[in-house]
Amino acid sequence: MAGIFGFKLKNGRSGESQAVARPNDGFDEEISGLSQLYSPGEDHVSQVRDVADVLSEMGTITNEQLSDIRRKQKAKPNSDVSRIITELHLASETDIAMARAGLYGLEFRRINPETVDRRVFDRLDIDYIRNNRIMPIAVRDDALVIATSHPSDLFVIEDVKRQTRMNTETIVCLDSDIDAVCDVLRDEKMNHNLDDIINDMTDVEIVQEDEEESEDLEKMAGQSPVIKFVNYLISNAIREGASDIHIEPKEKFMKTRYRIDGVLFDMKQSPLKMHPAIVSRIKIMANLDISERRLPQDGKIKVSVGGRAIDLRVSTLPLNHGEKVVIRVLDSQSVRRGLEQLGMEQDVMQTFGEQIVLPHGILLVTGPTGSGKSTTLYSALCQMDSDKLNVSTVEDPVEYELDFCNQVQTNEKIGLNFASALRSLLRQDPDVIMIGEIRDNETARIAVQAALTGHLVLSTLHTNDAAASIPRLVDIGIEPYLIAASLNAVLAQRLVRKICPKCKEPYEVSKNMRKYLQKAGIQPDEVYHGAGCDACRGSGYVGRAGIYELLVLEEQFRDMINKDPSVNNMRRVFHESGRRTLFDDGILKVKQGLTTIEEVLRVTEVYGKSEDEDFVENMNPDK
């Protein structure tokens, strides 16, 4: 901004700027913010010097690429040039930040938490830092050094000067650097203060089990240390990527555990005195009855963490030492991903994509609880044209609220179960229906009738593999000829943990295991695992990916359903079709270095490998 108004920053500090006189004949070249001035006699539009010009001068983009950027700017006059450059993949985040620094005559620097003065950082509220993309990092020569990814926002810089009552020296950094520093320093600050919070909470005496004491319990739940502790548990779980929070009362202490990547980790042990107040606080947030401590209760909480809307599903259960609370963390961002981000191989993703655009029939997704079935179904719904289709769901409960479809929450207390909701829904002219789960004969029969009358039905079923879903439907009471006529495809899936990229390394396998690895097409030197580090909590894994088994009902398969829909026969026909099983897809992920053999064996039952039992036995790490 200094260049635009003809000012030059001395030592990079705002507040110490001076006007610098220059000869008129060289004035235009010295202005850093403008490349040309408008002249009425010229036939071209003036162009303000911006990030794209600096990138061109740096040699990061070519003249042709610069012209392409200008054409897109002309098509969208109010568009941000940095966003255009990013969308065209012409420059990295670092290149763009360096160009911003060059445009305003400022220094560019990478910032990490170790180089930030904690006391200086605390001069601004952390939410203010995140929202305005500016943070104080040090004091130099009586000036506050501030790092920002938006150096053009002079109003924020002036506001920082006003809040801190100091002159400022501005440098340019990355957006990701600001987020990383905020995450680390917030955790350090919270962990530092957590002991103080716990000490404050242990001063509160435990409430007796008498009903009349509920008012005292509510008062305790509203005290500041209790609120801070619950907020910490929730916000820290979201930052850690936890799917569930377990709060468990033991005989002498309260245990808190997070489920991360499908595995429970102990996070903290706290005094048992805290437990009644913590549970009551969570009940108040979920609109539950805090005086009822003998019966299970369920509720929901909506929170916002870091600008993200998060839904929490709360369940309480009376135990011998108090009430256990489990909080399910539901992040709607996780279900708005494309199918390509679920870990499907290209052939499976293409075939599955063809199934979700069919006009009618049933598409089932199977697997145990926590295998990602709902995420897959929601991702499939996201691929549909909701403007032209009437998409409706029947769920128990509605886990993620989606604005592009009509969602029905079942309620057994008033008689609104899956079957009754489906009957009413079919009178609403639906095109696509998603059923949370097919549990009984009535729901399954209505789903079959809907598929046969021109609707596409998506649902889940609890079976171990894709082939077992056909006999499962027969067991529910659906005739084989109706299954053959209505069922389009079945997708079975599991979630495997991915190897931590920070501690990923090859490792030596035993001689007894090598020949079996080679039989699976894996060379011994291609096997990796995670050694364990702080980033993965010593587990060697970070994040999860899906492994899939897709059964498409072709004519020979439909004929076999009418003849013999037994589990063994269905599996035999599936393997003869040449499609990959869950185990085969897992082995493919091992070859790609994405996961480990032990992880694949943990989540699969190795269907179709019975003819080579020695292979399974010698690959099982527990043997």
Side-chain angles (χ1 to χ4, degrees):
M1 200 68 185
I4 293 177
F5 292 100
F7 292 99
K8 186 176 181 180
L9 294 177
K10 183 182 293 183
N11 296 326
R13 297 178 188 172
S14 61
E16 297 182 10
S17 58
Q18 297 178 356
V20 180
R22 304 181 180 89
N24 288 335
D25 57 356
F27 184 71
D28 288 348
E29 288 76 7
E30 294 294 331
I31 298 178
S32 61
L34 301 173
S35 59
Q36 293 181 8
L37 296 176
Y38 174 73
S39 174
E42 297 174 350
D43 58 357
H44 63 274
V45 179
S46 64
Q47 172 61 50
V48 176
R49 187 168 182 267
D50 59 15
V51 170
D53 293 308
V54 181
L55 287 171
S56 177
E57 294 164 8
M58 291 166 55
T60 306
I61 62 175
T62 64
N63 291 333
E64 292 77 10
Q65 291 171 334
L66 180 61
S67 300
D68 192 21
I69 293 170
R70 299 303 179 212
R71 283 193 294 270
K72 290 188 176 295
Q73 276 186 299
K74 189 176 181 181
K76 298 180 179 179
N78 296 324
S79 59
D80 177 52
V81 66
S82 298
R83 185 183 297 273
I84 293 174
I85 294 169
T86 302
E87 290 174 351
L88 294 175
H89 305 289
L90 300 179
S92 66
E93 181 189 7
T94 302
D95 291 331
I96 294 173
M98 292 175 65
R100 285 198 185 112
L103 181 65
Y104 296 102
L106 301 174
E107 174 191 353
F108 169 75
R109 191 192 306 172
R110 292 300 305 269
I111 309 295
N112 59 70
E114 289 75 21
T115 61
V116 175
D117 188 326
R118 270 63 168 175
R119 292 173 299 176
V120 173
F121 182 84
D122 289 339
R123 288 173 180 257
L124 294 179
D125 182 75
I126 196 166
D127 290 329
Y128 180 91
I129 291 172
R130 282 191 187 275
N131 294 334
N132 294 282
R133 317 311 295 168
I134 190 169
M135 63 179 175
I137 60 172
V139 173
R140 186 166 60 192
D141 298 334
D142 297 326
L144 184 68
V145 182
I146 54 176
T148 178
S149 57
H150 294 86
S152 61
D153 199 338
L154 296 182
F155 295 104
V156 172
I157 295 174
E158 288 298 319
D159 188 50
V160 171
K161 289 173 60 179
R162 180 189 61 79
Q163 290 190 50
T164 60
R165 298 180 181 179
M166 296 182 66
N167 288 332
T168 57
E169 178 180 339
T170 305
I171 65 173
V172 179
C173 68
L174 302 182
D175 261 330
S176 55
D177 289 347
I178 295 175
D179 289 330
V181 171
C182 287
D183 288 341
V184 171
L185 297 191
R186 168 176 263 175
D187 287 346
E188 286 184 1
K189 185 176 181 180
M190 191 65 210
N191 289 332
H192 179 73
N193 295 334
L194 194 57
D195 291 337
D196 295 335
I197 293 174
I198 291 175
N199 289 335
D200 289 342
M201 291 181 63
T202 53
D203 292 337
V204 181
E205 290 298 325
I206 186 168
V207 175
Q208 302 298 320
E209 292 296 324
D210 299 331
E211 291 294 330
E212 59 269 19
E213 299 289 344
S214 62
E215 291 185 4
D216 293 335
L217 195 57
E218 185 174 2
K219 183 178 179 180
M220 287 168 49
Q223 293 178 350
S224 180
V226 179
I227 295 173
K228 287 181 180 179
F229 188 84
V230 172
N231 289 347
Y232 166 77
L233 289 182
I234 295 172
S235 60
N236 189 54
I238 293 170
R239 283 196 299 273
E240 292 281 349
S243 61
D244 300 89
I245 306 169
H246 291 243
I247 302 171
E248 304 168 344
K250 302 300 180 182
E251 184 178 0
K252 297 182 180 179
F253 60 87
M254 180 184 78
K255 178 190 285 189
T256 304
R257 298 193 290 175
Y258 291 165
R259 186 178 294 280
I260 303 173
D261 297 333
V263 178
L264 282 170
F265 290 87
D266 287 345
M267 300 306 294
K268 198 163 191 68
Q269 288 188 7
S270 308
L272 190 61
K273 286 183 179 181
M274 298 169 49
H275 181 259
I278 295 297
V279 173
S280 296
R281 173 60 187 169
I282 295 171
K283 284 184 174 181
I284 289 171
M285 295 172 68
N287 292 320
L288 300 180
D289 184 1
I290 66 169
S291 65
E292 180 55 76
R293 298 186 289 276
R294 301 167 301 173
L295 296 174
Q297 297 187 68
D298 297 299
K300 293 177 67 174
I301 306 172
K302 287 182 177 292
V303 297
S304 178
V305 178
R308 291 163 54 193
I310 306 292
D311 290 330
L312 306 175
R313 205 168 71 204
V314 178
S315 173
T316 68
L317 182 68
L319 303 180
N320 55 336
H321 295 297
E323 291 178 280
K324 176 181 177 179
V325 179
V326 176
I327 303 174
R328 170 67 60 88
V329 180
L330 303 172
D331 184 0
S332 60
Q333 291 182 359
S334 66
V335 300
R336 294 180 180 270
R337 301 183 296 178
L339 294 176
E340 65 279 357
Q341 298 182 32
L342 297 179
M344 290 185 184
E345 297 301 320
Q346 189 61 39
D347 57 339
V348 175
M349 183 175 65
Q350 181 178 347
T351 306
F352 185 75
E354 293 169 355
Q355 294 297 317
I356 63 177
V357 297
L358 292 176
H360 54 79
I362 297 176
L363 172 62
L364 294 177
V365 179
T366 73
T369 301
S371 60
K373 300 187 298 296
S374 296
T375 299
T376 299
L377 285 179
Y378 281 126
S379 298
L381 293 179
C382 291
Q383 306 293 312
M384 299 178 181
D385 188 353
S386 57
D387 292 333
K388 296 181 179 179
L389 297 173
N390 179 11
V391 182
S392 303
T393 72
V394 182
E395 304 169 68
D396 179 26
V398 174
E399 293 189 354
Y400 301 96
E401 294 187 4
L402 306 175
D403 54 4
F404 57 82
C405 62
N406 309 296
Q407 297 174 277
V408 178
Q409 166 78 59
T410 63
N411 189 339
E412 293 285 349
K413 293 180 180 178
I414 61 174
L416 183 63
N417 53 25
F418 277 106
S420 60
L422 276 173
R423 289 194 199 93
S424 299
L425 199 58
L426 288 172
R427 293 191 285 270
Q428 294 279 315
D429 186 30
D431 296 299
V432 180
I433 301 172
M434 190 193 89
I435 307 172
E437 181 185 350
I438 293 179
R439 302 176 179 175
D440 51 51
N441 175 271
E442 193 175 10
T443 303
R445 193 165 294 279
I446 297 173
V448 168
Q449 291 172 355
L452 294 175
T453 54
H455 305 88
L456 180 62
V457 179
L458 282 65
S459 187
T460 68
L461 198 65
H462 284 287
T463 60
N464 289 326
D465 62 344
S469 59
I470 286 93
R472 170 65 175 154
L473 290 173
V474 173
D475 292 341
I476 289 176
I478 305 301
E479 292 79 359
Y481 76 91
L482 289 176
I483 299 173
S486 61
L487 188 61
N488 291 342
V490 183
L491 180 76
Q493 68 177 73
R494 300 287 191 279
L495 292 177
V496 293
R497 293 181 292 172
K498 296 191 292 186
I499 299 173
C500 174
K502 293 189 176 181
C503 60
K504 181 178 179 179
E505 63 178 17
Y507 72 106
E508 189 73 20
V509 297
S510 65
K511 292 182 180 179
N512 188 40
M513 202 174 191
R514 286 192 178 187
K515 59 181 179 180
Y516 300 104
L517 291 174
Q518 292 171 353
K519 184 179 291 188
I522 303 174
Q523 297 301 319
D525 57 354
E526 295 177 344
V527 181
Y528 295 88
H529 76 157
C533 63
D534 292 339
C536 61
R537 305 166 199 85
S539 67
Y541 300 97
V542 170
R544 290 191 290 179
I547 58 174
Y548 300 92
E549 173 181 290
L550 181 59
L551 183 158
V552 179
L553 270 75
E554 297 162 343
E555 287 305 318
Q556 69 271 21
F557 211 104
R558 298 182 192 277
D559 292 340
M560 192 56 64
I561 291 175
N562 287 317
K563 295 177 182 177
D564 180 13
S566 64
V567 174
N568 291 335
N569 195 40
M570 292 298 101
R571 287 177 181 164
R572 180 183 60 79
V573 176
F574 175 75
H575 295 314
E576 290 175 354
S577 69
R579 294 188 179 274
R580 285 192 302 273
T581 64
L582 285 168
F583 181 77
D584 295 333
D585 198 43
I587 288 296
L588 194 57
K589 299 292 191 298
V590 174
K591 289 182 181 179
Q592 296 167 355
L594 190 67
T595 188
T596 63
I597 296 175
E598 292 84 358
E599 186 66 10
V600 172
L601 289 169
R602 182 180 71 87
V603 301
T604 66
E605 297 184 21
V606 203
Y607 297 109
K609 296 292 181 179
S610 57
E611 70 277 5
D612 196 355
E613 294 177 356
D614 290 337
F615 172 73
V616 176
E617 182 177 357
N618 283 276
M619 289 183 69
N620 194 326
D622 296 327
K623 295 293 183 181

